[in-house]
Each structure stands twice: as C-alpha cells, then as structure tokens.
Amino acid sequence: VGTFGPAVGGLFCGKLGPTFPALGPSLVGGALGLFAVACTAAFLPETRPAGYLGGQTGHALPPANDVEDGADGAGPAAGAKPQGLLAVVCQRPLPLAIFLRSVLGCVQFGYLDVVPLWAIASEGAGGLNFQEMEVGTMLLAAGAVQFLFTMWAMARVVNRLGLRRAFICGCALA
C-alpha cells in the first residue's frame, strides 16, 4: 500500500468534485485499510496461548526460546521467567531499528503530506500554487517511479549488498 499510495492519491484526486478533492483518495485508503484488517484477522494465526488476556490474569507469554541452557548457553535457564516488553524492546539492535523506522516514517510524512501541501499553497504563502490535479499527477508519477524502483532496482541492490548493507545505504541516502 505504501508504494501505491501516491499513485492512488494522484489517480483519484478531485474525482468526486472540487469541494473535497482529497475525498476520493481518502475513501480508497480507508477501504484498503479495512481490507487489510479483515485479511489480517482472517489469515494471520494467533500466537498467544489460550486464556491470555494481556497480562491481566497473571498469565505470561512463554519465553521465545524454550531451549534449556546447556554448555553452549543457547537458551534461557529452566524455569526462567519471560522478559517484559520494555526489556525486550531495549535489547540491541531494536532501539536503533525503532529509531531508524521513525526517521523513515518522518521522511515519508514529508514526502506524502508536507510537499503536496506546499505545492498547493499560494505563491504569497511561499507555495508553488499548483492545482489539485497537478499535484495528483505529480503523486501518480512519483508512485510509478517508486514502484519501479522497489520492484526492479531495490531487488538488485539487496542481492548485491545484502539486506543489512542495503538498509544502511538506504538510510544514508535518505
């Protein structure tokens, strides 16, 4: 959906009348979101043990690795309690991954929200004074380029550099 978002926005911008030009993309986005929730509920298996109610009943999730500690120290000790959510989130490399994902989310927010608003704003307000259809066409073209890059170029980059190095290079370029 992230790849097709600009294309959908550009394609449906202003199609339901000039009063609310963003109504079409918003309705399509809302329908896609509801479809994703329905697919997730229908096809994603439950991973919590039966009777688990979010920690309210004293039940806890089992440890992620049930292998007992041996000479190699491969797993938790027998009878060890599972770690809390904060302890798991603070383990390396999750803080860095969360930070990087947050930065990428801010970049995407700027790309999909701030730039179109700047383009639509009047020249007196420092904008480009584009019409809604011009911004929609720009987003449609950006979505097409993003799709082609994701499907063609990114696969080659990941195959050549590996997932970790490709992610590092992508973050450095963003």
Side-chain angles (χ1 to χ4, degrees):
V1 172
T3 303
F4 290 112
V8 168
L11 191 61
F12 291 104
C13 184
K15 297 291 185 193
L16 298 178
T19 307
F20 300 108
L23 181 61
S26 298
L27 291 174
V28 170
L32 285 174
L34 290 175
F35 178 71
V37 168
C39 286
T40 301
F43 299 112
L44 190 67
E46 180 59 63
T47 58
R48 294 181 185 175
Y52 180 79
L53 297 175
Q56 297 172 1
T57 62
H59 295 123
L61 289 174
N65 188 355
D66 289 340
V67 178
E68 291 186 18
D69 252 347
D72 61 356
K81 293 190 175 198
Q83 296 177 341
L85 180 62
L86 183 61
V88 171
V89 170
C90 290
Q91 288 180 356
R92 188 174 179 246
L94 276 180
L96 179 60
I98 291 170
F99 171 74
L100 289 175
R101 182 59 187 105
S102 300
V103 169
L104 291 174
C106 290
V107 169
Q108 187 175 14
F109 172 75
Y111 166 66
L112 294 176
D113 293 322
V114 176
V115 170
L117 288 175
W118 168 65
I120 288 177
S122 67
E123 290 179 10
L128 298 175
N129 201 27
F130 284 1
Q131 299 300 316
E132 288 87 2
M133 291 306 294
E134 293 172 317
V135 173
T137 304
M138 179 180 69
L139 288 174
L140 179 62
V145 169
Q146 185 178 3
F147 176 75
L148 291 174
F149 176 78
T150 302
M151 298 306 289
W152 180 75
M154 195 61 191
R156 287 175 170 72
V157 169
V158 169
N159 286 338
R160 181 160 175 95
L161 298 178
L163 186 58
R164 184 172 184 261
R165 285 191 183 121
F167 184 71
I168 290 169
C169 290
C171 289
L173 293 173

